[in-house]
């Protein structure tokens, strides 16, 4: 870690003045580069929050780079924005980003950020006390094709349940996390597989209970990529050095959280307030973060497994499972370079 810290410090000193802009029309008159970063309003994006709040991105990029942050509620909107170059780089789940990549093939996974951090919550009066009890019930996920839906489908399959549109199986509906919170309060849905901090908030309010904790959610019992760092091909081609520095900032965010958890809670809350208009109780952030495994590593095998579920569910069309090739999608070359140069 000491060597990595020395490398990261060196990167701060070696920031190169770069002309042009990753998004064309956003190039300032003084030649300043604008980097547009996308991120979710979830604690599972904690490393990105800290990297922003502690100024790691800005220090890595240098004063000649302007940062614009855009918050997203779901991976589908994020992935569309990335593929259409509305944003350059950011944090998302593998489910929706894989679905979009198969269609557009113009962005890549360049680093991990967090493994796990989603939980299955059952409503207080739902009568659901086990996964098997979900038969005939309605379960909410943030958006169709999301990483959370893929995990839910795997969990149901493990328990011999099918996804249906009637009471012979489990009905899945898509609702934004904030709307799901309201629906759980009103008893309109029976359960939800949802990223933190939403599950912890529901449990604290007493409107639901965590039925399956994060370290039992498939695949790999929670040790699957839930938050990855991705960048579009145009940004990678024009600003490869900035992409490496973004990876370094992400790693700094991970290290800061592990070394300074109390200070990290404040940083995370600061960014939550900016993105959603309101923060969380520090104890909720602490509890939610305990459900996350922050890491820059990426399990390609887990992403491939989730992609196969997406094919079965009809979210990835026009390709058979045996034809799926995600090697161009998961390109960890820059991450490997950052780690190698840190040694």
């Amino acid at each position: 870690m000491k060597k990595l810290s020395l490398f990261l410090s060196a990167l701060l000193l070696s920031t190169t003045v770069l002309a042009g802009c990753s998004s064309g029309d956003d190039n300032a008159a003084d030649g300043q580069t604008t980097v547009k970063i996308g991120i979710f309003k979830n604690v599972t994006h904690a490393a990105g929050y800290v990297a922003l709040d502690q100024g790691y991105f800005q220090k890595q990029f240098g004063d000649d780079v302007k940062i614009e942050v855009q918050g997203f509620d779901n991976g589908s909107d994020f992935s569309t924005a990335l593929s259409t170059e509305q944003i350059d780089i950011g944090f998302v789940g593998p489910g929706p980003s894989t679905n979009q990549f198969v269609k557009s093939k113009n962005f890549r996974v360049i680093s991990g950020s967090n493994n796990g951090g989603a939980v299955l919550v059952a409503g207080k009066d739902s009568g659901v006390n086990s996964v098997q009890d979900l038969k005939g019930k309605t379960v909410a996920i943030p958006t169709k094709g999301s990483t959370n839906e893929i995990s839910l489908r795997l969990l149901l399959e493990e328990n011999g349940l099918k996804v249906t549109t009637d009471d012979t199986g489990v009905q899945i509906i898509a609702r934004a996390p904030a709307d799901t919170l309201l629906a759980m309060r009103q008893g309109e849905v029976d359960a939800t597989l949802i990223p933190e901090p939403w599950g912890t908030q529901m449990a604290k309010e007493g409107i639901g209970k965590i039925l399956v904790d994060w370290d039992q959610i498939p695949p790999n019992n929670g040790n699957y990529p839930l938050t990855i760092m991705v960048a579009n091909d145009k940004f990678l081609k024009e600003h490869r050095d900035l992409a490496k520095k973004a990876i370094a900032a992400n790693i700094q965010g991970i290290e800061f959280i592990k070394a300074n958890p109390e200070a990290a809670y404040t940083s995370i809350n600061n960014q939550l307030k900016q993105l959603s208009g309101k923060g969380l109780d520090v104890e909720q952030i602490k509890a939610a973060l305990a459900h996350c495994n922050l890491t820059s590593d990426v399990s390609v095998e887990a992403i491939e497994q989730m992609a196969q579920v997406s094919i079965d569910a009809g979210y990835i069309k026009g390709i058979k499972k045996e034809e799926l090739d995600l090697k161009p999608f998961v390109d960890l070359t820059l991450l490997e370079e950052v780690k190698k140069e840190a040694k």
Side-chain angles (χ1 to χ4, degrees), residues 25 101 110 206-207 233 327:
D25 294 338
F101 171 79
I110 60 173
I207 60 175
D233 287 353
K327 292 184 181 68

Side-chain angles (χ1 to χ4, degrees), residues 278-298:
K278 59 181 180 179
L280 283 175
D281 180 81
V282 171
E283 287 303 312
Q284 283 183 260
I285 295 177
K286 181 178 181 180
L289 205 57
H291 293 167
C292 299
N293 176 21
L294 302 175
T295 178
S296 62
D297 295 336
V298 180

Side-chain angles (χ1 to χ4, degrees), residues 16-45:
T16 304
V17 176
L18 294 172
C21 177
S22 61
S23 301
D25 294 338
D26 294 307
N27 190 22
D30 59 0
Q32 187 180 53
T33 298
T34 298
V35 177
K36 297 182 178 180
I37 300 175
I39 196 165
F40 286 19
K41 305 164 188 177
N42 298 334
V43 172
T44 51
H45 290 229

